[in-house]
Amino acid sequence: MERDNPLGTARSLPPLLADRRPGTRIALDIGATKLAVRAAGPDGSAGLYRRWAGDDPEADLALICSAIADVRCRLGDAVRQVGVAAAPTVDHHGRVTAWPSRPAWAGLPLGEALAEAAGAPVAIADDGMLAALAEADASGCADLAYIGLGTGVGGGLVVGGVVLRGAHGTAGEIGHLPVDPAGPECACGRRGCLQAYAGGSALATRAATLRSEPTSTRQLVAAIAAGDRWAVQVADEAALALARAVITLTEVVGPAEVHIGGGLGAALADLPQRVGAAVSGMGRAGHRLPVVRAAALGSHASLAGAMLLAQRPSALSPAPG
Ligand SMILES: [Zn+2]
């Protein structure tokens, strides 16, 4: 049963099936523009979602902690575990190392603060990684790459049912796979990253160049659907860059499926087919290629992954040391 949500500016999330195991599990999705919190236990679930903005770490943390307190008291049971999908980069000790969207967060002991607020252990992972975990779970696919298209490009890798984190917790940054060393400059300072071809900002810039007038991603999406030549060219170039990234992923981790999601990915309904067609032309004899398809879950994939993490912290590959 979903309980009422008392926070005025937030709205409730769709209910989850009750988790029959004792104790409450809490999931958080901390993004630059959104904060989502969900609790689930034997008696039901409670959740809230709100837009947020700001760069005052103390005020931001206070808001997160009040949201935790809210869902926690609505379910009443003791919290067993917290899972967090985080847009900021967080080290293995739960400390924020960087967040370009909110630079003042650098150095914030996020894990420690959340553990204190919830009275339970906290597991934190990149939001793209946890979206990949949720996609893998929803699709029954243990080897999956997730590519999330928004303003930039995020993603994550699930290998053998486990989220691949790497030595520094930053594996699966698919948006920064180099697809052309002579390509356009990426926000990260390198040239030719996937994000510089397939992120929303990059697509709008490319469209504006081809049309010689400012173009929003919304206009671009509509023009692709209408078949406008300039827009189809932008979509094809993005699909080619995505296909090159998919081939690189295929050679390294061999996913069975590649899911394309995120807000922009969902708006570009035929992009997975375009990417799949480009990928099929890049195969090697005797080597199977992954199936490229649209993401199974919508905008709450990272939150769903955070709940999976709260239920099964071993879903992350082990932290070094
Ligand atoms: Zn980059």
Side-chain angles (χ1 to χ4, degrees):
M1 168 179 71
E2 188 78 3
R3 311 288 172 83
D4 289 340
N5 172 16
L7 293 190
T9 55
R11 62 182 172 78
S12 292
L13 292 165
L16 280 180
L17 288 176
D19 185 341
R20 296 289 167 209
R21 291 172 298 179
T24 293
R25 274 138 182 105
I26 291 179
L28 288 158
D29 182 8
I30 300 174
T33 59
K34 65 161 190 244
L35 170 67
V37 186
R38 161 161 270 161
D43 296 330
S45 70
L48 61 88
Y49 170 94
R50 61 176 298 153
R51 311 297 295 181
W52 72 333
D55 189 25
D56 177 347
E58 283 196 17
D60 294 344
L61 257 189
L63 187 63
I64 296 172
C65 292
S66 76
I68 289 174
D70 174 70
V71 293
R72 189 180 169 188
C73 85
R74 279 194 276 157
L75 287 197
D77 213 348
V79 179
R80 288 293 178 97
Q81 176 73 47
V82 179
V84 183
T89 305
V90 178
D91 68 16
H92 287 306
H93 305 291
R95 185 174 291 272
V96 175
T97 57
W99 195 9
S101 301
R102 297 189 186 195
W105 272 52
L108 191 70
L110 181 64
E112 195 180 298
L114 298 182
E116 191 175 319
V122 174
I124 305 179
D126 174 81
D127 50 3
M129 289 183 186
L130 292 181
L133 179 65
E135 285 288 326
D137 182 75
S139 313
C141 178
D143 291 280
L144 180 140
Y146 169 77
I147 304 175
L149 304 182
T151 307
V153 178
L157 299 168
V158 174
V159 179
V162 173
V163 175
L164 189 68
R165 287 196 292 177
H168 309 293
T170 54
E173 288 273 14
I174 295 169
H176 298 287
L177 279 181
V179 295
D180 179 1
E185 195 168 325
C186 178
C188 72
R190 209 158 50 199
R191 285 200 166 273
C193 295
L194 175 62
Q195 179 169 295
Y197 287 92
S201 296
L203 294 183
T205 301
R206 181 65 177 140
T209 301
L210 290 176
R211 300 176 74 203
S212 302
E213 62 178 285
T215 306
S216 67
T217 49
R218 188 184 294 265
Q219 289 171 309
L220 174 64
V221 167
I224 292 171
D228 291 355
R229 211 166 68 171
W230 61 270
V232 170
Q233 182 179 338
V234 174
D236 283 340
E237 289 174 3
L240 180 62
L242 283 158
R244 286 177 177 156
V246 168
I247 290 295
T248 300
L249 292 173
T250 301
E251 300 297 354
V252 180
V253 292
E257 296 183 12
V258 177
H259 290 199
I260 298 178
L264 182 60
L268 296 170
D270 68 349
L271 187 63
Q273 290 96 308
R274 287 179 199 270
V275 176
V279 165
S280 68
M282 298 180 190
R284 289 194 289 134
H287 292 255
R288 289 180 63 175
L289 292 166
V291 174
V292 181
R293 59 175 48 143
L297 301 169
S299 58
H300 295 308
S302 296
L303 184 64
M307 182 54 80
L308 290 169
L309 183 61
Q311 293 164 343
R312 189 166 53 95
S314 61
L316 293 181
S317 61

